[in-house]
Amino acid sequence: MTGPEDRIAAPGTDEVTWAAWLPAQDWPRWVPDPAWTRVAVCAAHPDDEVLGAGGVLALLAGAGIALHLVAATDGEGSHPGSAVLSAAELATRRVAETRDALAELGVAATTTRLALPDSGLAAREPELTAALAAAVEGADAVLAPWTGDAHPDHEAVGRAAVAAGRALGVPVWQYPVWTWHWATPDDARVPWHAAHRVDLPEGVRAAKRAAVARFTTQVRPLGPDPADRVVLPPEVLAHFDRDCEVLFR
């Protein structure tokens, strides 16, 4: 996760507030279509798919559904100016973290890496859209970041996935990530009317927790310099340690 904009940089909604609101929402429960055999999951950066839909991925893998990860960037831009890791070294670390995180979830996904620039997807959207459409062809469903997540890269991947799904006639389920930080319960900017709840059994929740911990470049500081700050502090990580996930469609 890289390149936060103002809503993301601002103080967010704490998890205690969400925990008091979410159980009262009468959203339909998400269940995968039993006819699915292959699902594509799209991510702007290494960790997005695990934070937003790691439990869903574990459930799909447990159901015997083949998963294909489409990674738009390698996440080289999360720490510009780092005194510890170069952009290339950071990308290498983050790709490896994704591999380890998916293993924690029991997911053996095939992967397409588009190697587009971190924090620059919106400027390359036509190229992103074409590449993503080719990568998800043949999937029965697509998972992608929500198009309103307030991170330009997340939104670009979400729009590209929606366009691909429309062209291919494939359903696209969108997962929020930064939304849990900047939004508030009943926030009019969020399509709660399209929300579906995904209940996570305790074993899946534990696996997701272990998977998130694998992203050490994001959940710990790289070093003492401000440029090496932690990207996902505990108050943000708390949003991804729930007993449920939410998908929009």
Side-chain angles (χ1 to χ4, degrees):
M1 162 166 333
T2 311
E5 62 171 21
D6 289 345
R7 270 188 280 172
I8 295 173
T13 300
D14 64 49
E15 181 57 19
V16 172
T17 301
W18 289 115
W21 182 77
L22 282 168
Q25 306 315 303
D26 187 23
W27 297 329
R29 263 43 178 184
W30 177 88
V31 290
D33 188 319
W36 291 352
T37 61
R38 184 173 186 264
V39 171
V41 54
C42 306
H45 316 105
D47 74 10
D48 293 338
E49 74 282 19
V50 173
L51 292 169
V56 171
L57 299 183
L59 292 171
L60 290 170
I65 295 172
L67 294 169
H68 182 67
L69 172 64
V70 183
T73 82
D74 291 338
E76 71 276 8
S78 70
H79 291 81
S82 170
V84 176
L85 293 176
S86 68
E89 291 169 334
L90 186 56
T92 299
R93 286 273 298 272
R94 297 194 68 186
V95 169
E97 289 169 357
T98 296
R99 179 198 61 214
D100 294 344
L102 293 180
E104 294 284 5
L105 294 169
V107 172
T110 55
T111 303
T112 296
R113 295 203 163 276
L114 303 182
L116 291 168
D118 190 350
S119 303
L121 294 181
R124 303 275 291 272
E125 195 158 331
E127 180 183 355
L128 167 67
T129 301
L132 189 145
V136 306
E137 189 168 7
D140 299 307
V142 176
L143 296 166
W146 176 43
T147 54
D149 203 41
H151 190 301
D153 282 350
H154 293 199
E155 295 185 357
V157 171
R159 289 191 296 270
V162 169
R166 185 180 302 120
L168 297 170
V170 174
V172 178
W173 293 87
Q174 300 182 50
Y175 58 83
V177 179
W178 278 111
T179 306
W180 300 115
H181 173 74
W182 58 258
T184 57
D186 291 321
D187 196 314
R189 297 169 293 182
V190 181
W192 302 117
H193 65 280
H196 290 64
R197 177 186 172 101
V198 186
D199 292 315
L200 304 183
E202 183 51 42
V204 170
R205 187 180 178 190
K208 180 177 178 180
R209 189 178 301 129
V212 170
R214 290 289 189 171
F215 294 104
T216 56
T217 61
Q218 307 300 295
V219 303
R220 302 175 192 164
L222 298 180
D225 191 278
D228 292 311
R229 76 202 184 290
V230 63
V231 175
L232 298 169
E235 63 271 23
V236 173
L237 289 176
H239 301 315
F240 307 105
D241 193 32
R242 301 173 182 151
D243 61 359
C244 69
E245 291 174 348
V246 174
L247 299 176
F248 297 135
R249 181 160 187 266

